[in-house]
Amino acid sequence: MTSSVPQPCENPLLLDPPTGPVAGPTTGPVKGPGLWSANFRLYFTARSIAMLGDSMLPVAMAAGLLQYGYGAGAIGLVMASYMGCFAGLVIFGGVIADRFNARLLMIGADLVRLGMMALLAGLFFADHVVLWQVCAITAVNGVAAAMFQPGVASTVPRVATDVQGANGVVRTAESMMALAGPAVAGLLVAFASAGGVIAVDAVTFGVSAVCVFLLRLPPVAHETTGPKTSTFRADLVEGWREFRGRTWMWTVIVIWMVFMVTVMGPVTPLTAGEILPAHGPKAYGLVNSCLGAGTALGALLAMRFRSHFPLRAGATALFGSALYPASVGLHLPVPAICGCIFVAGAAWAYWGVNWATSVQTQVPGEILNRIHAYEVAGSVAMLPVGQALSGPASSAFGARHVLLAGSVVSLVVCVSLLSVPAIRNLRRVAQPAGKTG
């Protein structure tokens, strides 16, 4: 299960540095025929197939649990078991990836997820669905995802010479998979079973593991100089120190945490609560499709329009995100809501690609996995808080007012991002041409 929620890093259940002279990654990019080198094709396939499976899973889980008499609370508990383990352990995953071999860790994580999803599918096929067992399996899945995610940041610069183009292409593909996945899952559940969809998700992790295994990457610094002599705790502290030492990064994450609590956490459940009773499931499905389509467009635009100040450009585009909660809160007609959400999706994706590219091109390779883990943890941790608070807030103030307040906060977030010099003045770094260390 991954998150499609826009993160500064950008994506679980599922997504640049100092303003002074910055060292590029310590690993040189793999040379190849433009963007679509053999390594990038493998990475692209791994990410796209895994996203297709992940976007199918929530539909299968909800349908399967409801079939066995469990309600919305049980579905939420299953999702929380995944997200809690992911958010709580992804930082440790970053340290492990930097200490050893991120690629091997990603392969191992995929194999664990393959096993867990196969086991879960077996429970559904055997008509033996017990809630605590489902929660335990999804919790292990969350741990594996926490081990996989940090390696994503350091892999992109090693498989593509055009890091921003690679991020844009992958984000576009993930958006299309997120659109197709729920529809495919709905058909499979209707004609087969929830267990069948979960089995397909297990297979996608197997495909991802094979693709990552076939990657041929240059070694990073610690792989060529021998095992680390520092302790795990020292590496954890070093990661925090490096993260805290980049003003542009920690200020973005702090601002984004506010955005998660006040906007992204409430917007999904409250949008469903506003649109479904008034316009029905077809309208809600159309709204979600427009969000996915907008996200795909935003990723393509980020590939085409590359500012010398990527975070300034991304934060400016992010003003469009305010249209999402505003359009739902104002009870606009469905076509107008779809248009607004399409623009919001494009804004999120344009920001996300610029952010991810900045992190991957400006943070030294030997600490990139840890720093990526810290920023993912900061982004994701506040999402369930916002979701949990959305119900009490809507009861106290009304869903409409919470959504409109979220629209105002979206604008404040954009102004806050642009008001920080370290964010506003961060310059785009030329693609690394080789090893710097």
Side-chain angles (χ1 to χ4, degrees):
M1 276 171 276
T2 58
S3 176
S4 57
V5 172
Q7 303 167 21
C9 60
E10 220 100 7
N11 50 256
L13 228 166
L14 102 144
L15 143 161
D16 307 40
T19 55
V22 182
T26 58
T27 58
V30 177
K31 301 299 183 183
L35 175 61
W36 293 97
S37 65
N39 273 331
F40 181 71
R41 289 196 299 270
L42 286 168
Y43 177 77
F44 174 84
T45 301
R47 298 300 295 155
S48 301
I49 295 297
M51 175 56 74
L52 177 63
D54 277 354
S55 63
M56 294 166 60
L57 188 57
V59 175
M61 289 294 294
L65 290 173
L66 290 172
Q67 177 185 347
Y68 285 94
Y70 296 106
I75 297 172
L77 185 61
V78 170
M79 299 300 179
S81 66
Y82 172 92
M83 186 59 70
C85 290
F86 177 86
L89 296 175
V90 69
I91 292 174
F92 299 100
V95 176
I96 296 172
D98 275 337
R99 287 182 66 86
F100 301 106
N101 187 306
R103 174 173 159 272
L104 293 180
L105 188 63
M106 294 167 74
I107 294 170
D110 270 340
L111 293 178
V112 170
R113 292 190 285 184
L114 165 62
M116 289 299 100
M117 289 298 98
L119 176 59
L120 185 59
L123 294 180
F124 275 91
F125 285 137
D127 291 326
H128 181 77
V129 178
V130 180
L131 183 59
W132 74 265
Q133 294 175 345
V134 175
C135 288
I137 291 171
T138 54
V140 174
N141 206 30
V143 174
M147 299 300 108
F148 181 95
Q149 182 63 34
V152 170
S154 62
T155 300
V156 174
R158 300 170 74 189
V159 300
T161 55
D162 180 2
V163 177
Q164 181 149 346
N167 282 316
V169 167
V170 171
R171 179 65 56 81
T172 302
E174 288 179 345
S175 299
M176 301 311 295
M177 294 301 102
L179 279 173
V184 173
L187 290 174
L188 290 177
V189 169
F191 291 102
S193 66
V197 180
I198 296 171
V200 170
D201 186 45
V203 172
T204 64
F205 288 123
V207 173
S208 176
V210 170
C211 290
V212 177
F213 174 78
L214 293 175
L215 290 175
R216 294 297 176 260
L217 305 177
V220 295
H222 67 77
E223 292 173 356
T224 58
T225 57
K228 283 196 169 190
T229 57
S230 58
T231 65
F232 188 94
R233 181 178 181 278
D235 283 352
L236 194 65
V237 172
E238 182 189 19
W240 170 251
R241 185 170 59 248
E242 293 285 352
F243 173 79
R244 188 183 59 186
R246 290 167 165 78
T247 302
W248 62 274
M249 180 174 281
W250 69 258
T251 50
V252 165
I253 297 303
V254 169
I255 294 170
W256 207 260
M257 290 169 73
V258 175
F259 185 67
M260 285 285 125
V261 172
T262 58
V263 182
M264 289 314 304
V267 75
T268 300
L270 295 185
T271 296
E274 292 292 296
I275 292 180
L276 282 169
H279 304 287
K282 289 184 178 179
Y284 186 62
L286 180 62
V287 165
N288 282 294
S289 295
C290 288
L291 178 63
T295 302
L297 175 63
L300 292 173
L301 291 175
M303 295 172 59
R304 178 65 180 84
F305 300 102
R306 308 187 185 200
S307 171
H308 290 297
F309 300 94
L311 298 188
R312 182 189 303 180
T316 302
L318 203 58
F319 277 100
S321 67
L323 293 174
Y324 187 159
S327 63
V328 179
L330 291 172
H331 295 160
L332 298 182
V334 170
I337 293 176
C338 288
C340 290
I341 290 180
F342 179 87
V343 173
W348 285 331
Y350 188 82
W351 159 266
V353 171
N354 278 283
W355 169 262
T357 302
S358 297
V359 174
Q360 292 160 4
T361 55
Q362 298 204 40
V363 175
E366 67 270 16
I367 60 170
L368 179 54
N369 293 316
R370 275 170 286 171
I371 283 189
H372 177 61
Y374 272 109
E375 49 117 351
V376 168
S379 305
V380 172
M382 292 296 104
L383 178 63
V385 176
Q387 292 172 330
L389 293 176
S390 63
S394 62
S395 298
F397 306 107
R400 178 173 182 269
H401 291 96
V402 174
L403 288 166
L404 293 177
S407 180
V408 174
V409 172
S410 297
L411 299 177
V412 173
V413 162
C414 296
V415 172
S416 300
L417 290 171
L418 292 170
S419 68
V420 179
I423 299 172
R424 184 178 67 248
N425 297 327
L426 183 70
R427 286 185 173 273
R428 181 163 64 94
V429 170
Q431 302 305 327
K435 292 184 181 181
T436 60

